[in-house]
Amino acid sequence: MEKRTLGKSDLSVSKMGLGCMSLGTDSANAEKIIKAALDEGINYFDTADLYNYGVNEELVGKALASIRDQVVIATKVGNRWTENKDGWSWDPSKKYIKEAVKKSLKRLGTDYIDLYQLHGGTIDDPIDETIEAFEELKSEGFIRYYGISSIRPNVIREYVDRSSIVSVMMQYSLLDRRPEEVMASLKENGVSVVTRGSVAKGILSDTILSIKENQWEGKEYLDYSSNEIKELIESIQAKLLHDKRSLNELALQFNLANKAVAAVVTGASTIEQIKDNARAVNSTALTKEEWAFLHMVTRESHYTAHR
């Protein structure tokens, strides 16, 4: 699988990363899915301390221990969970980040994290303090690089201007084009975009093509109504889908067509999902005609309304 450089770092990541949140808590099954990802050429694995209250990091670390130097492990910080593990609160303080990284390192069974990401962020955060924490962790050798996971343009701009982030993880799809507001600026500043939510909760996957007429109700997404979603899918199906091109391919290739995007991170709870997504990202890139049609039918007004 093709690899791309993440921002100004020396991290070379597969253009499809495995989002590990959906692995579950069964160690044997998680190892099978991660092995299937490795077999497809995936070297980029994204987790977070919050997923299953640390269990996800443990599973990822265990599965990748024997090939630690061959993979890129990304995790996240900022959500402090309660002692009873029944909820969490936002804490981007320097003190918490520097405590949390040591716990993540222990769960992952590694002495360094390739990409440490702030798991959210608001404009009211102590941003300079947060950046200072990440910079110290870099200088101390606990992390190689850092980034943020955010869809807030004002927060993203602050980190681009004031820090050395190498990536921003954002929800991005044909139905959610909000990130386009900042993508050009990120590209100019040498910050890569890592996308999630590329199939819009399954609406842009091939399974949607088999639903019946009376099953469209409840398929709203952001400010798209069920009827708009139905019409959009039908227009894409009529114009672009054929034996050699699937809806899943179009959704993932749409993300990868943006020059700011280094990788799409997709979740998987089965081996077959890994294989399907790998086939999609390894398929032919969008033609100019496909790209133009997809941009036309999704309308920019749908993302500018969400600023």
Side-chain angles (χ1 to χ4, degrees):
M1 183 177 291
E2 176 192 342
K3 292 182 175 61
R4 299 177 175 183
T5 301
L6 195 67
K8 293 179 180 178
S9 77
D10 62 358
L11 298 177
S12 184
V13 299
S14 49
K15 64 180 179 180
M16 171 182 155
L18 178 63
C20 297
M21 184 174 68
S22 56
L23 288 177
T25 57
D26 181 86
S27 179
N29 187 59
E31 284 196 36
K32 287 179 183 177
I33 293 171
I34 289 173
K35 183 182 183 302
L38 292 167
D39 289 343
E40 294 294 339
I42 294 168
N43 77 333
Y44 177 26
F45 297 85
D46 181 87
T47 181
D49 57 2
L50 187 63
Y51 299 163
N52 298 120
Y53 297 102
V55 173
N56 196 262
E57 285 184 323
E58 292 175 358
L59 295 178
V60 171
K62 179 183 176 183
L64 297 174
S66 64
I67 53 168
R68 176 65 188 94
D69 61 342
Q70 301 171 42
V71 295
V72 173
I73 295 178
T75 192
K76 309 181 192 75
V77 66
N79 293 293
R80 179 196 286 269
W81 65 72
T82 60
E83 187 176 340
N84 295 328
K85 297 182 179 180
D86 56 0
W88 60 87
S89 59
W90 178 240
D91 189 349
S93 68
K94 176 180 177 180
K95 182 176 184 294
Y96 177 66
I97 291 171
K98 297 203 72 174
E99 290 173 355
V101 72
K102 294 176 182 178
K103 295 177 181 178
S104 284
L105 287 167
K106 183 177 180 180
R107 287 189 292 264
L108 288 164
T110 184
D111 55 5
Y112 68 95
I113 293 166
D114 297 291
L115 179 65
Y116 204 33
Q117 301 161 104
L118 186 67
H119 203 172
T122 75
I123 200 65
D124 297 320
D125 290 344
I127 293 176
D128 286 331
E129 179 184 324
T130 302
I131 293 169
E132 188 174 282
F134 283 114
E135 289 292 342
E136 287 186 9
L137 290 176
K138 274 183 66 178
S139 65
E140 292 162 355
F142 291 117
I143 68 174
R144 295 179 65 190
Y145 300 97
Y146 66 97
I148 62 172
S149 176
S150 175
I151 60 170
R152 296 184 172 98
N154 56 351
V155 173
I156 292 169
R157 291 188 185 105
E158 290 298 315
Y159 278 89
V160 170
D161 290 343
R162 296 154 67 175
S163 79
S164 58
I165 59 169
V166 299
S167 65
V168 178
M169 174 175 265
M170 288 189 278
Q171 178 174 300
Y172 181 52
S173 72
L174 281 166
L175 302 180
D176 185 0
R177 292 172 53 191
R178 288 174 292 179
E180 291 174 358
E181 181 179 346
V182 295
M183 280 178 159
S185 174
L186 290 174
K187 176 69 175 173
E188 289 172 6
N189 284 279
V191 178
S192 287
V193 174
V194 176
T195 67
R196 59 180 178 83
S198 52
V199 294
K201 296 182 178 179
I203 292 175
L204 297 172
S205 68
D206 297 311
T207 56
I208 200 76
L209 302 176
S210 60
I211 72 170
K212 298 177 182 178
E213 187 71 23
N214 62 355
Q215 294 177 319
W216 282 101
E217 187 175 349
K219 298 296 183 185
E220 299 89 359
Y221 192 82
L222 296 180
D223 60 352
Y224 281 91
S225 67
S226 295
N227 190 57
E228 286 178 312
I229 293 288
K230 180 177 181 292
E231 291 178 353
L232 173 62
I233 296 300
E234 288 175 346
S235 66
I236 292 174
Q237 185 174 16
K239 181 75 173 180
L240 301 181
L241 299 188
H242 46 74
D243 291 343
K244 296 182 180 180
R245 184 64 105 182
S246 69
L247 183 58
N248 195 39
E249 284 179 31
L250 292 175
L252 295 178
Q253 290 295 337
F254 175 81
N255 282 25
L256 292 169
N258 193 301
K259 293 181 179 180
V261 175
V264 291
V265 171
T266 63
S269 55
T270 67
I271 291 173
E272 191 52 43
Q273 285 178 325
I274 289 281
K275 292 180 177 179
D276 284 345
N277 288 332
R279 281 193 291 266
V281 300
N282 286 329
S283 64
T284 307
L286 293 183
T287 64
K288 290 181 180 179
E289 291 75 20
E290 288 173 327
W291 184 89
F293 180 80
L294 291 172
H295 272 257
M296 178 187 70
V297 295
T298 51
R299 302 194 310 274
E300 291 188 3
S301 60
H302 277 280
Y303 78 88
T304 54
H306 289 279
R307 292 183 180 181

PDB file of all heavy atoms in Angstrom, residues 15-39:
ATOM      1  N   LYS A  15      -1.599   5.031   3.314  1.00  0.00           N
ATOM      2  CA  LYS A  15      -2.686   5.974   3.011  1.00  0.00           C
ATOM      3  C   LYS A  15      -4.019   5.545   3.599  1.00  0.00           C
ATOM      4  O   LYS A  15      -4.994   6.299   3.568  1.00  0.00           O
ATOM      5  CB  LYS A  15      -2.807   6.192   1.498  1.00  0.00           C
ATOM      6  CG  LYS A  15      -3.185   4.966   0.688  1.00  0.00           C
ATOM      7  CD  LYS A  15      -3.256   5.342  -0.793  1.00  0.00           C
ATOM      8  CE  LYS A  15      -3.603   4.134  -1.673  1.00  0.00           C
ATOM      9  NZ  LYS A  15      -3.681   4.507  -3.095  1.00  0.00           N
ATOM     10  N   MET A  16      -4.067   4.333   4.151  1.00  0.00           N
ATOM     11  CA  MET A  16      -5.202   3.895   4.963  1.00  0.00           C
ATOM     12  C   MET A  16      -4.667   3.487   6.322  1.00  0.00           C
ATOM     13  O   MET A  16      -3.738   2.683   6.424  1.00  0.00           O
ATOM     14  CB  MET A  16      -5.918   2.721   4.306  1.00  0.00           C
ATOM     15  CG  MET A  16      -6.983   2.058   5.179  1.00  0.00           C
ATOM     16  SD  MET A  16      -7.728   0.640   4.338  1.00  0.00           S
ATOM     17  CE  MET A  16      -8.291  -0.330   5.740  1.00  0.00           C
ATOM     18  N   GLY A  17      -5.221   4.081   7.356  1.00  0.00           N
ATOM     19  CA  GLY A  17      -4.854   3.696   8.710  1.00  0.00           C
ATOM     20  C   GLY A  17      -5.996   2.913   9.328  1.00  0.00           C
ATOM     21  O   GLY A  17      -7.151   3.027   8.902  1.00  0.00           O
ATOM     22  N   LEU A  18      -5.686   2.109  10.333  1.00  0.00           N
ATOM     23  CA  LEU A  18      -6.737   1.362  11.034  1.00  0.00           C
ATOM     24  C   LEU A  18      -7.171   2.150  12.266  1.00  0.00           C
ATOM     25  O   LEU A  18      -6.371   2.406  13.166  1.00  0.00           O
ATOM     26  CB  LEU A  18      -6.239  -0.019  11.452  1.00  0.00           C
ATOM     27  CG  LEU A  18      -7.262  -0.862  12.237  1.00  0.00           C
ATOM     28  CD1 LEU A  18      -8.491  -1.169  11.377  1.00  0.00           C
ATOM     29  CD2 LEU A  18      -6.635  -2.152  12.755  1.00  0.00           C
ATOM     30  N   GLY A  19      -8.435   2.544  12.275  1.00  0.00           N
ATOM     31  CA  GLY A  19      -9.015   3.152  13.465  1.00  0.00           C
ATOM     32  C   GLY A  19      -9.390   2.038  14.424  1.00  0.00           C
ATOM     33  O   GLY A  19     -10.268   1.230  14.133  1.00  0.00           O
ATOM     34  N   CYS A  20      -8.724   1.995  15.561  1.00  0.00           N
ATOM     35  CA  CYS A  20      -8.826   0.817  16.427  1.00  0.00           C
ATOM     36  C   CYS A  20      -9.991   0.853  17.409  1.00  0.00           C
ATOM     37  O   CYS A  20     -10.216  -0.128  18.136  1.00  0.00           O
ATOM     38  CB  CYS A  20      -7.515   0.637  17.186  1.00  0.00           C
ATOM     39  SG  CYS A  20      -6.104   0.322  16.090  1.00  0.00           S
ATOM     40  N   MET A  21     -10.758   1.918  17.438  1.00  0.00           N
ATOM     41  CA  MET A  21     -11.846   2.052  18.404  1.00  0.00           C
ATOM     42  C   MET A  21     -12.857   0.908  18.311  1.00  0.00           C
ATOM     43  O   MET A  21     -13.419   0.483  19.309  1.00  0.00           O
ATOM     44  CB  MET A  21     -12.561   3.394  18.210  1.00  0.00           C
ATOM     45  CG  MET A  21     -13.648   3.648  19.230  1.00  0.00           C
ATOM     46  SD  MET A  21     -14.373   5.306  19.105  1.00  0.00           S
ATOM     47  CE  MET A  21     -15.214   5.188  17.527  1.00  0.00           C
ATOM     48  N   SER A  22     -13.084   0.393  17.103  1.00  0.00           N
ATOM     49  CA  SER A  22     -14.111  -0.632  16.911  1.00  0.00           C
ATOM     50  C   SER A  22     -13.581  -2.058  17.027  1.00  0.00           C
ATOM     51  O   SER A  22     -14.269  -3.014  16.670  1.00  0.00           O
ATOM     52  CB  SER A  22     -14.781  -0.447  15.546  1.00  0.00           C
ATOM     53  OG  SER A  22     -13.825  -0.457  14.506  1.00  0.00           O
ATOM     54  N   LEU A  23     -12.373  -2.241  17.544  1.00  0.00           N
ATOM     55  CA  LEU A  23     -11.810  -3.584  17.675  1.00  0.00           C
ATOM     56  C   LEU A  23     -12.522  -4.434  18.706  1.00  0.00           C
ATOM     57  O   LEU A  23     -12.461  -5.662  18.655  1.00  0.00           O
ATOM     58  CB  LEU A  23     -10.326  -3.496  18.062  1.00  0.00           C
ATOM     59  CG  LEU A  23      -9.346  -3.024  16.992  1.00  0.00           C
ATOM     60  CD1 LEU A  23      -7.949  -2.935  17.581  1.00  0.00           C
ATOM     61  CD2 LEU A  23      -9.354  -3.966  15.791  1.00  0.00           C
ATOM     62  N   GLY A  24     -13.178  -3.795  19.665  1.00  0.00           N
ATOM     63  CA  GLY A  24     -13.803  -4.557  20.743  1.00  0.00           C
ATOM     64  C   GLY A  24     -12.803  -4.841  21.847  1.00  0.00           C
ATOM     65  O   GLY A  24     -11.711  -4.276  21.887  1.00  0.00           O
ATOM     66  N   THR A  25     -13.157  -5.738  22.736  1.00  0.00           N
ATOM     67  CA  THR A  25     -12.292  -6.026  23.885  1.00  0.00           C
ATOM     68  C   THR A  25     -11.768  -7.453  23.901  1.00  0.00           C
ATOM     69  O   THR A  25     -11.074  -7.844  24.839  1.00  0.00           O
ATOM     70  CB  THR A  25     -13.054  -5.761  25.197  1.00  0.00           C
ATOM     71  OG1 THR A  25     -14.254  -6.550  25.219  1.00  0.00           O
ATOM     72  CG2 THR A  25     -13.408  -4.285  25.340  1.00  0.00           C
ATOM     73  N   ASP A  26     -12.096  -8.229  22.862  1.00  0.00           N
ATOM     74  CA  ASP A  26     -11.571  -9.590  22.779  1.00  0.00           C
ATOM     75  C   ASP A  26     -10.173  -9.554  22.169  1.00  0.00           C
ATOM     76  O   ASP A  26     -10.001  -9.184  21.002  1.00  0.00           O
ATOM     77  CB  ASP A  26     -12.494 -10.464  21.930  1.00  0.00           C
ATOM     78  CG  ASP A  26     -12.004 -11.896  21.840  1.00  0.00           C
ATOM     79  OD1 ASP A  26     -12.336 -12.697  22.739  1.00  0.00           O
ATOM     80  OD2 ASP A  26     -11.257 -12.217  20.893  1.00  0.00           O
ATOM     81  N   SER A  27      -9.185  -9.951  22.935  1.00  0.00           N
ATOM     82  CA  SER A  27      -7.790  -9.839  22.515  1.00  0.00           C
ATOM     83  C   SER A  27      -7.491 -10.649  21.259  1.00  0.00           C
ATOM     84  O   SER A  27      -6.819 -10.168  20.342  1.00  0.00           O
ATOM     85  CB  SER A  27      -6.867 -10.282  23.647  1.00  0.00           C
ATOM     86  OG  SER A  27      -5.523 -10.206  23.263  1.00  0.00           O
ATOM     87  N   ALA A  28      -8.004 -11.879  21.208  1.00  0.00           N
ATOM     88  CA  ALA A  28      -7.723 -12.752  20.063  1.00  0.00           C
ATOM     89  C   ALA A  28      -8.307 -12.180  18.778  1.00  0.00           C
ATOM     90  O   ALA A  28      -7.656 -12.179  17.726  1.00  0.00           O
ATOM     91  CB  ALA A  28      -8.275 -14.146  20.315  1.00  0.00           C
ATOM     92  N   ASN A  29      -9.533 -11.669  18.856  1.00  0.00           N
ATOM     93  CA  ASN A  29     -10.166 -11.099  17.668  1.00  0.00           C
ATOM     94  C   ASN A  29      -9.464  -9.820  17.229  1.00  0.00           C
ATOM     95  O   ASN A  29      -9.262  -9.586  16.032  1.00  0.00           O
ATOM     96  CB  ASN A  29     -11.639 -10.807  17.940  1.00  0.00           C
ATOM     97  CG  ASN A  29     -12.389 -10.380  16.689  1.00  0.00           C
ATOM     98  OD1 ASN A  29     -12.456 -11.109  15.716  1.00  0.00           O
ATOM     99  ND2 ASN A  29     -12.934  -9.182  16.712  1.00  0.00           N
ATOM    100  N   ALA A  30      -9.070  -9.006  18.198  1.00  0.00           N
ATOM    101  CA  ALA A  30      -8.348  -7.771  17.870  1.00  0.00           C
ATOM    102  C   ALA A  30      -7.037  -8.083  17.166  1.00  0.00           C
ATOM    103  O   ALA A  30      -6.671  -7.422  16.188  1.00  0.00           O
ATOM    104  CB  ALA A  30      -8.081  -6.974  19.145  1.00  0.00           C
ATOM    105  N   GLU A  31      -6.329  -9.086  17.633  1.00  0.00           N
ATOM    106  CA  GLU A  31      -5.061  -9.467  17.009  1.00  0.00           C
ATOM    107  C   GLU A  31      -5.278  -9.940  15.575  1.00  0.00           C
ATOM    108  O   GLU A  31      -4.472  -9.647  14.690  1.00  0.00           O
ATOM    109  CB  GLU A  31      -4.370 -10.553  17.833  1.00  0.00           C
ATOM    110  CG  GLU A  31      -3.718 -10.020  19.096  1.00  0.00           C
ATOM    111  CD  GLU A  31      -2.717 -10.992  19.690  1.00  0.00           C
ATOM    112  OE1 GLU A  31      -2.022 -11.685  18.915  1.00  0.00           O
ATOM    113  OE2 GLU A  31      -2.635 -11.064  20.923  1.00  0.00           O
ATOM    114  N   LYS A  32      -6.373 -10.662  15.318  1.00  0.00           N
ATOM    115  CA  LYS A  32      -6.667 -11.140  13.959  1.00  0.00           C
ATOM    116  C   LYS A  32      -6.912  -9.964  13.020  1.00  0.00           C
ATOM    117  O   LYS A  32      -6.434  -9.960  11.876  1.00  0.00           O
ATOM    118  CB  LYS A  32      -7.900 -12.059  13.984  1.00  0.00           C
ATOM    119  CG  LYS A  32      -7.658 -13.424  14.599  1.00  0.00           C
ATOM    120  CD  LYS A  32      -8.933 -14.251  14.601  1.00  0.00           C
ATOM    121  CE  LYS A  32      -8.720 -15.598  15.273  1.00  0.00           C
ATOM    122  NZ  LYS A  32      -9.994 -16.386  15.335  1.00  0.00           N
ATOM    123  N   ILE A  33      -7.670  -8.982  13.499  1.00  0.00           N
ATOM    124  CA  ILE A  33      -7.978  -7.820  12.662  1.00  0.00           C
ATOM    125  C   ILE A  33      -6.715  -6.993  12.395  1.00  0.00           C
ATOM    126  O   ILE A  33      -6.467  -6.558  11.263  1.00  0.00           O
ATOM    127  CB  ILE A  33      -9.071  -6.959  13.329  1.00  0.00           C
ATOM    128  CG1 ILE A  33     -10.390  -7.732  13.355  1.00  0.00           C
ATOM    129  CG2 ILE A  33      -9.248  -5.639  12.579  1.00  0.00           C
ATOM    130  CD1 ILE A  33     -11.477  -7.073  14.163  1.00  0.00           C
ATOM    131  N   ILE A  34      -5.906  -6.799  13.419  1.00  0.00           N
ATOM    132  CA  ILE A  34      -4.666  -6.043  13.243  1.00  0.00           C
ATOM    133  C   ILE A  34      -3.707  -6.779  12.313  1.00  0.00           C
ATOM    134  O   ILE A  34      -3.049  -6.161  11.461  1.00  0.00           O
ATOM    135  CB  ILE A  34      -4.012  -5.763  14.613  1.00  0.00           C
ATOM    136  CG1 ILE A  34      -4.852  -4.714  15.361  1.00  0.00           C
ATOM    137  CG2 ILE A  34      -2.574  -5.275  14.453  1.00  0.00           C
ATOM    138  CD1 ILE A  34      -4.418  -4.465  16.790  1.00  0.00           C
ATOM    139  N   LYS A  35      -3.647  -8.097  12.427  1.00  0.00           N
ATOM    140  CA  LYS A  35      -2.802  -8.877  11.516  1.00  0.00           C
ATOM    141  C   LYS A  35      -3.289  -8.747  10.080  1.00  0.00           C
ATOM    142  O   LYS A  35      -2.498  -8.615   9.147  1.00  0.00           O
ATOM    143  CB  LYS A  35      -2.782 -10.360  11.909  1.00  0.00           C
ATOM    144  CG  LYS A  35      -1.853 -11.194  11.024  1.00  0.00           C
ATOM    145  CD  LYS A  35      -1.865 -12.660  11.391  1.00  0.00           C
ATOM    146  CE  LYS A  35      -0.866 -13.439  10.530  1.00  0.00           C
ATOM    147  NZ  LYS A  35      -1.132 -13.306   9.076  1.00  0.00           N
ATOM    148  N   ALA A  36      -4.615  -8.767   9.901  1.00  0.00           N
ATOM    149  CA  ALA A  36      -5.173  -8.600   8.557  1.00  0.00           C
ATOM    150  C   ALA A  36      -4.801  -7.238   7.989  1.00  0.00           C
ATOM    151  O   ALA A  36      -4.501  -7.099   6.796  1.00  0.00           O
ATOM    152  CB  ALA A  36      -6.693  -8.756   8.594  1.00  0.00           C
ATOM    153  N   ALA A  37      -4.791  -6.208   8.844  1.00  0.00           N
ATOM    154  CA  ALA A  37      -4.395  -4.870   8.408  1.00  0.00           C
ATOM    155  C   ALA A  37      -2.934  -4.858   7.985  1.00  0.00           C
ATOM    156  O   ALA A  37      -2.571  -4.291   6.939  1.00  0.00           O
ATOM    157  CB  ALA A  37      -4.637  -3.871   9.529  1.00  0.00           C
ATOM    158  N   LEU A  38      -2.099  -5.493   8.773  1.00  0.00           N
ATOM    159  CA  LEU A  38      -0.674  -5.580   8.428  1.00  0.00           C
ATOM    160  C   LEU A  38      -0.480  -6.313   7.104  1.00  0.00           C
ATOM    161  O   LEU A  38       0.347  -5.913   6.275  1.00  0.00           O
ATOM    162  CB  LEU A  38       0.089  -6.293   9.541  1.00  0.00           C
ATOM    163  CG  LEU A  38       0.199  -5.539  10.879  1.00  0.00           C
ATOM    164  CD1 LEU A  38       0.684  -6.479  11.978  1.00  0.00           C
ATOM    165  CD2 LEU A  38       1.137  -4.344  10.746  1.00  0.00           C
ATOM    166  N   ASP A  39      -1.245  -7.369   6.891  1.00  0.00           N
ATOM    167  CA  ASP A  39      -1.154  -8.142   5.645  1.00  0.00           C
ATOM    168  C   ASP A  39      -1.521  -7.299   4.426  1.00  0.00           C
ATOM    169  O   ASP A  39      -1.053  -7.563   3.310  1.00  0.00           O
ATOM    170  CB  ASP A  39      -2.067  -9.374   5.703  1.00  0.00           C
ATOM    171  CG  ASP A  39      -1.554 -10.445   6.658  1.00  0.00           C
ATOM    172  OD1 ASP A  39      -0.361 -10.391   7.026  1.00  0.00           O
ATOM    173  OD2 ASP A  39      -2.357 -11.322   7.046  1.00  0.00           O
TER     174      ASP A  39
END
